[in-house]
């Protein structure tokens, strides 16, 4: 069986993060500022990209006790190579606004 994974973010909603969230702006029109929202940040659909995503944060894909990630440890260049500059800019927006990040493998 292969591996796919995603990086999810959990944090406080504000108008400043709407463009970095998974759904369009209309879906967040009734969300109060400060409400906790969850979003996918990076979706790795192959084993290779799943391992690279984990490695970009200094963890192993199946190192289950270390999947709450430290955004400060992110290898931005590696993330750009895997997911592109636009997706990484969304990640960086969420970092600036106090979101927490979790690596979620599906093996």
């Amino acid at each position: 069986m292969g591996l796919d994974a995603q990086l999810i973010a959990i944090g406080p909603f504000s108008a400043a993060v709407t463009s970095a969230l998974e759904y369009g702006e209309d879906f967040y029109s009734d969300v109060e500022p400060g409400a906790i929202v969850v979003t996918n940040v990076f979706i790795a659909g192959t084993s290779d990209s799943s391992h690279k995503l984990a490695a970009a944060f200094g963890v192993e894909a199946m190192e289950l006790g270390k999947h709450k990630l430290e955004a400060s440890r992110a290898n931005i260049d590696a993330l750009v190579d895997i997911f592109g500059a636009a997706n990484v800019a969304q990640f960086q927006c969420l970092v600036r606004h106090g979101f927490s990040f979790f690596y979620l493998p599906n093996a």
Side-chain angles (χ1 to χ4, degrees):
M1 179 175 165
L3 172 70
D4 59 47
Q6 64 226 51
L7 180 75
I8 63 170
I10 302 172
F13 176 79
S14 70
V17 300
T18 304
S19 65
L21 299 176
E22 193 167 9
Y23 303 110
E25 190 174 318
D26 291 346
F27 285 92
Y28 297 97
S29 62
D30 293 331
V31 178
E32 295 289 327
I36 300 301
V37 294
V38 179
T39 192
N40 281 305
V41 180
F42 301 123
I43 299 175
T46 67
S47 292
D48 183 56
S49 60
S50 297
H51 286 281
K52 287 179 180 176
L53 172 57
F57 285 89
V59 299
E60 296 291 328
M62 296 306 294
E63 196 172 10
L64 300 178
K66 295 187 178 181
H67 284 169
K68 181 178 189 294
L69 303 177
E70 298 298 327
S72 63
R73 294 191 65 198
N75 179 331
I76 298 300
D77 292 335
L79 291 172
V80 169
D81 287 345
I82 303 164
F83 299 104
N87 283 5
V88 173
Q90 292 172 318
F91 164 72
Q92 291 172 315
C93 175
L94 297 173
V95 170
R96 287 191 304 275
H97 288 91
F99 276 66
S100 295
F101 300 91
F102 301 85
Y103 179 86
L104 180 60
N106 181 25

